[in-house]
Amino acid sequence: MAVEDNGLDIGRYLGILLRHRFLIGGAIVAALIIGLAATLLMTPIYTAKATIQIDRETQQVLGNGTESAPRDNLVNGVEFFETQYGLLRSRSLAERVADSMGLANSNDFITRMGGEAPTVEEGNAAQRTAQRRRRVIGLLRANLSVAPVRGSRLVTISFNSPDPQLAAQIANAFAENFIQASLERKFESSSYVRQFLEQQIAQTKAKLEETERTLVEYASGQQIINITEPGAEGGGGQSLAANNLVSINSALADARAARVAAEEKWRQARTSPLMSIPDVLQNTSIQRLSEQRSQLDAEYQQKLAIYQPDYPEMIQLRSRIDELEGQINALATSIRNSIRAQFEIASNQETSLQAQVTGLTGDVLDLRDRSIQYNILQRELDTSRTLYDGLLQRYKEVGVTGGVTTNNISVIDMAMTPGAPSKPDMTINLLMALLLGIGLGVAAALVIEMLDESIATPDDVERKLGLSVLGVVPLLHKGETALTALNDIRSGFSEAYYSLRTALQFSTPDGAPPVMLVTSSRPGEGKSTTAYAVALNLARIGKRVLLADGDLRNPSMHRLIGIENSQGMSSLLSGGATLPQVVRKTSHENLFFISCGPLPPNPAELWGGERLRETLHHALQEFDHIVIDGPPVLGFADAPLLAATVGSTLFVLESRNTRRAQAKGAMKRLSMVHGQVLGVVLTKFNATATPYGGYDYAYDYTYGADPDTTTTDKKPK
């Protein structure tokens, strides 16, 4: 029966590690010893660190006295700082440090760094000098490390050397030479920019002068006169006609507004009663005269109660009232005439201004036709002037900043002489050795397990052979025999075979098979003991059992039971005896035995004849079960012939001493004859040698046993 692998079996791998714990422990100890020895033999390395600050870009002092600093963004900032780190690691900076300190002048630096200096055999003096320079630069770059401080603009420059003072000197030399190289690059860049700007200014100035001459000549020929407004940039402006048109058009708009207002005022005055005109009502003179008239009217009405209208005093009052009424009417009429006059004046003024605007419009349109080329020349002139002014301003800025050469790199901490070596680190090296030892030990255990062909546990049987395990028989104690263990019904040995008997009773729908062959791949695996134990346990439950020794080449069952071997299976199969003649009763009730009998010259012929089937048929009429102790499968044809005839086979495997190839070969031979294998019995199983996989089995075997007898299992002799 094949066993499916449904995933990672952690228990199995843990069992592998426990089985090979001494190998893994040895690998760990060896790795730690090697790591300790290597650490003690390593040359101490000292690391000196200098810290510098790199700003994004130096501030620039402009001509107007202001300062500006560029704003960082994510992409440009990363590119800038990565560039600076690359410059720190560059070969050119290493060459600069070597030259500034004179490291390539002798072999002293190479010797102090633990390197190999050029020998006399390596070419002439020039070649050795070049070789020494290359080695010095290589050592400088190999032992230099540049590490930015996270979240800041600080950069740590580290140098490793067996000499602590030399490490500090070179770390500081890298920082100082990096600053000097940066200043030199800025000065060279400023000088190049000044030369480039001078050339561009000269070309732009010549083009500006030529454009100005062309513009003046064209304006003179076309009679174009432009008026430049105060504060306007460049030479452009509006023409005289355009300025006049703007002014008169503005006056026309004001005159039109005044005419509309006057016209509306005159329309109201013309259609309204004379004394209801707003200007009349608001006139102070009319208001004064109306007040006087009201007073005279009141006086006249008062005296009318005393005098008659024709009384002289009354006539005089009436005359004065009429006079005031006439003055009021005359004055109101004058005001209305004034409103009409204002309307006429505004209308005439609008007409005059409209005529002027019409005339100037034609002049301006004509001038615009003639100003197209003028405007083109004017724009070209403005562009040239703007470019010229920008170049001059930039030239001034470069001149100022180029002379100052402000540096954006500064040293924060100079490298100090380290007091203790940074390498080797005993803790880290031992930790790495520990991990390496664990890895090698586990890998070796897994490899050994993969290459291990032995079958040691029930899991191995199911996994490597695809067969079910019907029983697991423990290894006997030292000095204990199989018969003694079987007679003790409370021993683990007997309990194992009780479990096997139970498994056989459920191996087929009808219970234990009536005829069973017990065999193994090779001799000495415990098949005879298993056959005897199976027959004995079946007899103990009241079954009549016939145990037959089927190993006609090397019989041993008669010695185990203690019965003479004068005649037996060989006599029965050859026709020299009958079944009742060869069946012997044993000391156990219901258990009968047939020994091997005389060794035949060719056992395979006896097993292959029809006599065997007839014998089994007759025996089953008297016995419930027949158990045959068969020969080993490998090497001879006896066992396959028996398996083909019997039908049910119980296969015995010795734990740790039977190889997978042997077991598979035996299974293949049995399958070729269509032998039905009920399952496997794993014998001589040492639970103490299988810490993980055999724990459950060890518990079962010792459960309920006498404490005095539960000693540690030992290997058989």
Side-chain angles (χ1 to χ4, degrees):
M1 179 180 65
V3 179
E4 295 182 358
D5 187 5
N6 295 324
L8 180 63
D9 189 353
I10 299 177
R12 176 193 166 205
Y13 287 105
L14 181 58
I16 293 174
L17 298 181
L18 291 176
R19 283 197 297 273
H20 298 281
R21 58 188 180 276
F22 296 110
L23 173 63
I24 298 175
I28 294 174
V29 172
L32 289 176
I33 293 175
I34 294 174
L36 178 62
T39 302
L40 296 176
L41 294 175
M42 288 181 181
T43 302
I45 301 297
Y46 296 85
T47 301
K49 298 180 179 180
T51 304
I52 63 174
Q53 177 180 343
I54 303 177
D55 293 327
R56 173 67 178 84
E57 189 174 299
T58 184
Q59 293 181 337
Q60 297 180 353
V61 182
L62 305 181
N64 56 5
T66 61
E67 295 182 353
S68 68
R71 292 176 295 179
D72 289 341
N73 59 63
L74 182 60
V75 176
N76 292 338
V78 171
E79 291 180 353
F80 172 78
F81 287 107
E82 289 296 334
T83 301
Q84 300 302 312
Y85 306 151
L87 292 175
L88 280 168
R89 302 185 186 99
S90 64
R91 180 181 180 84
S92 60
L93 183 60
E95 293 176 348
R96 187 184 183 98
V97 171
D99 294 339
S100 65
M101 299 183 67
L103 301 179
N105 297 334
S106 65
N107 295 330
D108 180 63
F109 172 74
I110 299 177
T111 304
R112 293 171 70 182
M113 290 296 295
E116 184 179 354
T119 59
V120 180
E121 290 78 9
E122 298 184 23
N124 52 33
Q127 292 175 342
R128 289 195 299 273
T129 300
Q131 181 71 11
R132 180 169 58 248
R133 180 179 176 82
R134 286 193 296 270
R135 293 184 182 179
V136 168
I137 294 173
L139 288 172
L140 288 174
R141 299 185 68 187
N143 292 277
L144 175 71
S145 62
V146 178
V149 179
R150 186 177 181 86
S152 69
R153 296 182 179 181
L154 300 179
V155 180
T156 301
I157 302 174
S158 305
F159 191 82
N160 301 323
S161 174
D163 188 339
Q165 295 181 352
L166 181 63
Q169 293 173 1
I170 294 180
N172 291 327
F174 267 99
E176 294 170 357
N177 281 273
F178 181 64
I179 295 175
Q180 294 176 5
S182 177
L183 291 175
E184 290 179 1
R185 285 195 302 271
K186 288 185 177 181
F187 181 80
E188 293 174 357
S189 175
S190 176
S191 176
Y192 173 78
V193 170
R194 284 197 301 270
Q195 295 177 3
F196 176 76
L197 289 177
E198 288 174 356
Q199 297 176 359
Q200 295 296 317
I201 288 173
Q203 297 175 3
T204 305
K205 182 179 180 181
K207 185 177 181 180
L208 177 62
E209 293 174 353
E210 181 182 357
T211 305
E212 286 181 342
R213 285 194 296 268
T214 303
L215 180 63
V216 171
E217 291 175 358
Y218 183 80
S220 177
Q222 295 294 327
Q223 296 296 315
I224 299 174
I225 301 175
N226 288 340
I227 298 176
T228 304
E229 296 179 359
E233 297 181 356
Q238 289 187 340
S239 64
L240 185 59
N243 280 340
N244 292 337
L245 177 60
V246 172
S247 300
I248 295 176
N249 189 63
S250 178
L252 175 60
D254 295 339
R256 182 176 290 112
R259 190 265 306 167
V260 172
E263 182 179 4
E264 181 63 26
K265 191 175 183 181
W266 164 241
R267 183 181 296 109
Q268 292 179 358
R270 185 178 58 185
T271 59
S272 301
L274 183 62
M275 294 308 296
S276 64
I277 299 174
D279 289 356
V280 173
L281 295 175
Q282 296 173 1
N283 189 272
T284 58
S285 298
I286 293 178
Q287 291 176 355
R288 187 177 65 254
L289 292 174
S290 297
E291 183 179 356
Q292 292 176 5
R293 186 187 63 180
S294 298
Q295 292 176 357
L296 291 175
D297 284 338
E299 184 180 356
Y300 180 80
Q301 293 296 329
Q302 183 180 6
K303 290 183 177 182
L304 186 60
I306 302 173
Y307 304 105
Q308 293 292 329
D310 56 353
Y311 187 74
E313 187 178 353
M314 297 296 290
I315 294 173
Q316 185 180 4
L317 286 173
R318 179 81 261 172
S319 175
R320 290 175 62 186
I321 291 172
D322 292 340
E323 182 181 357
L324 288 173
E325 185 71 29
Q327 290 179 2
I328 290 173
N329 290 333
L331 187 55
T333 303
S334 175
I335 291 174
R336 183 168 64 180
N337 293 335
S338 174
I339 293 174
R340 182 179 65 183
Q342 290 177 2
F343 165 65
E344 292 176 352
I345 291 172
S347 179
N348 293 334
Q349 187 177 7
E350 179 187 6
T351 303
S352 176
L353 290 175
Q354 181 64 51
Q356 294 183 34
V357 168
T358 302
L360 287 174
T361 300
D363 294 340
V364 170
L365 292 175
D366 179 64
L367 180 60
R368 286 185 176 179
D369 292 338
R370 292 181 286 113
S371 298
I372 295 176
Q373 183 62 30
Y374 177 86
N375 292 333
I376 294 174
L377 294 174
Q378 183 65 52
R379 284 193 295 271
E380 185 177 353
L381 176 62
D382 293 341
T383 302
S384 299
R385 183 178 289 110
T386 301
L387 180 59
Y388 181 71
D389 293 341
L391 290 173
L392 284 177
Q393 180 66 23
R394 183 58 181 161
Y395 184 75
K396 293 178 182 178
E397 294 174 2
V398 171
V400 173
T401 58
V404 176
T405 60
T406 305
N407 187 27
N408 63 327
I409 305 173
S410 58
V411 177
I412 304 301
D413 291 325
M414 297 292 290
M416 305 296 292
T417 302
S422 59
K423 299 177 184 178
D425 190 325
M426 179 69 74
T427 303
I428 294 178
N429 287 354
L430 291 181
L431 181 60
M432 293 178 62
L434 175 62
L435 295 177
L436 180 61
I438 293 175
L440 291 177
V442 171
L446 294 176
V447 170
I448 292 174
E449 190 69 20
M450 292 175 61
L451 297 177
D452 185 12
E453 290 290 320
S454 65
I455 299 175
T457 65
D459 292 338
D460 291 341
V461 175
E462 297 177 354
R463 182 166 45 86
K464 297 180 179 180
L465 301 180
L467 297 174
S468 60
V469 178
L470 297 180
V472 179
V473 181
L475 182 66
L476 291 174
H477 298 287
K478 184 177 181 180
E480 187 179 12
T481 64
L483 288 177
T484 304
L486 287 174
N487 290 331
D488 183 6
I489 60 175
R490 296 179 60 85
S491 67
F493 196 77
S494 295
E495 290 290 343
Y497 281 112
Y498 293 157
S499 299
L500 174 60
R501 180 194 65 192
T502 303
L504 288 174
Q505 289 177 331
F506 292 96
S507 61
T508 66
D510 299 326
V515 182
M516 284 182 289
L517 169 66
V518 181
T519 185
S520 61
S521 59
R522 59 182 182 81
E525 296 190 61
K527 62 177 180 58
S528 297
T529 302
T530 300
Y532 174 72
V534 169
L536 178 61
N537 280 284
L538 288 174
R540 283 175 177 175
I541 61 175
K543 302 290 184 179
R544 288 178 58 83
V545 182
L546 176 62
L547 175 62
D549 190 350
D551 191 352
L552 302 184
R553 299 179 185 273
N554 185 22
S556 61
M557 187 65 71
H558 63 282
R559 290 190 295 270
L560 179 65
I561 297 178
I563 295 178
E564 54 88 19
N565 191 27
S566 60
Q567 59 179 356
M569 286 296 297
S570 60
S571 305
L572 183 62
L573 295 177
S574 62
T578 62
L579 183 63
Q581 293 176 343
V582 297
V583 173
R584 300 286 188 271
K585 185 173 178 59
T586 66
S587 60
H588 300 280
E589 187 178 359
N590 296 326
L591 179 61
F592 300 87
F593 175 66
I594 299 178
S595 63
C596 170
L599 298 181
N602 191 357
E605 293 181 358
L606 296 179
W607 294 124
E610 289 295 329
R611 185 73 176 176
L612 175 62
R613 291 183 176 86
E614 296 175 359
T615 300
L616 295 177
H617 177 71
H618 292 304
L620 286 176
Q621 294 178 2
E622 183 178 353
F623 299 98
D624 297 321
H625 298 282
I626 301 174
V627 180
I628 302 176
D629 177 24
V633 177
L634 298 179
F636 303 99
D638 302 8
L641 290 173
L642 266 172
T645 303
V646 171
S648 297
T649 302
L650 190 62
F651 194 76
V652 177
L653 284 176
E654 182 182 358
S655 175
R656 295 190 176 276
N657 288 328
T658 302
R659 299 295 174 182
R660 177 169 58 179
Q662 295 174 337
K664 281 192 171 183
M667 291 295 104
K668 185 176 181 181
R669 296 195 67 186
L670 293 177
S671 64
M672 291 175 61
V673 298
H674 305 289
Q676 180 184 1
V677 179
L678 298 174
V680 174
V681 178
L682 188 65
T683 62
K684 302 179 185 180
F685 178 73
N686 187 358
T688 59
T690 312
Y692 181 79
Y695 177 82
D696 293 339
Y697 300 104
Y699 178 83
D700 291 341
Y701 300 151
T702 59
Y703 180 75
D706 187 355
D708 296 335
T709 61
T710 55
T711 57
T712 304
D713 292 340
K714 298 181 181 180
K715 294 184 179 180
K717 295 181 179 179

